[in-house]
Amino acid sequence: MAKLPIFTYPAPVLAQKAQPVAEITPEIAMLIEDMIETMYESDGVGLAAPQVGKSIRLITLDETGPKERKSPMVLINPEYLEQSGVKESEESCLSLPTFSCKVKRFETITVKGLDQKGEVIEIKAEGLLAIILQHEIDHLDGKTLVDHASRLKRTMYDSKVKKWKKD
Ligand code: NI
């Protein structure tokens, strides 16, 4: 397993709609292992393939976090079956260093997709798991937290990122 470089905003791959995974090839299987490692080593609870530069519909997550590593999950080609309720959450993202903002999420969701073996799985989630899933699925649609933030907050972050590039 290898820790992969994380692409940060405004990398174009983060704004693209990712393509479905057609087949779980050995390369995809290896990417999954590397993404789990990368997620833990970066202190994250979720990671989407576009964040490591691959524009495909694949996410990894573990709501128990990098310390416990109790429930690593892989979801390929996720689709929402149900979304209900509203919950506000304060989120940050490995692709947006130093940024955080409040986001309105669904409280409960049901998601369908494939696991790493290609078996169909259905996940009914609430709480932190539901928030992580929605955050990561957003990445597959080319959406990051800056798209949820106010225009002012986004403009401020844009100038911060520009300044980092110059330094
Ligand atoms: Ni993120």
Side-chain angles (χ1 to χ4, degrees):
M1 284 194 272
K3 188 182 174 188
L4 305 168
I6 292 184
F7 286 55
T8 57
Y9 176 84
V13 70
L14 295 172
Q16 279 167 21
K17 190 172 163 73
Q19 295 303 304
V21 175
E23 193 192 343
I24 303 166
T25 59
E27 287 76 20
I28 298 281
M30 188 176 290
L31 176 64
I32 290 170
E33 294 300 312
D34 290 346
M35 279 177 59
I36 291 173
E37 175 79 2
T38 305
M39 171 178 83
Y40 287 143
E41 290 306 308
S42 310
D43 267 334
V45 290
L47 191 68
Q51 293 182 275
V52 292
K54 308 280 183 198
S55 195
I56 54 172
R57 305 186 78 77
L58 160 63
I59 63 176
T60 62
L61 55 144
D62 188 340
E63 63 172 320
T64 71
K67 290 204 182 76
E68 297 193 45
R69 305 187 178 194
K70 273 186 190 154
S71 51
M73 280 173 50
V74 175
L75 199 57
I76 297 164
N77 301 340
E79 276 173 53
Y80 291 110
L81 297 180
E82 281 170 40
Q83 300 165 306
S84 65
V86 183
K87 179 156 181 104
E88 198 172 55
S89 69
E90 176 85 23
E91 298 176 27
S92 55
C93 177
L94 294 173
S95 292
L96 300 164
T98 77
F99 189 83
S100 70
C101 74
K102 285 206 173 87
V103 184
K104 253 191 197 153
R105 299 292 190 192
F106 293 104
E107 197 169 24
T108 312
I109 56 167
T110 307
V111 181
K112 187 181 125 177
L114 304 175
D115 67 10
Q116 65 267 53
K117 292 179 202 138
E119 313 265 351
V120 177
I121 48 169
E122 214 177 284
I123 303 162
K124 185 164 178 150
E126 55 178 17
L128 180 61
L129 182 59
I131 287 166
I132 300 169
L133 281 164
Q134 290 172 82
H135 179 117
E136 302 312 330
I137 294 171
D138 267 6
H139 276 299
L140 304 183
D141 293 323
K143 208 169 173 191
T144 65
L145 292 181
V146 290
D147 300 302
H148 287 280
S150 68
R151 206 166 146 183
L152 174 66
K153 201 159 183 178
R154 185 177 181 143
T155 307
M156 282 167 63
Y157 190 63
D158 279 338
S159 35
K160 207 168 174 178
V161 170
K162 259 183 217 146
K163 193 173 170 293
W164 287 338
K165 287 215 163 161
K166 259 190 258 159
D167 293 344

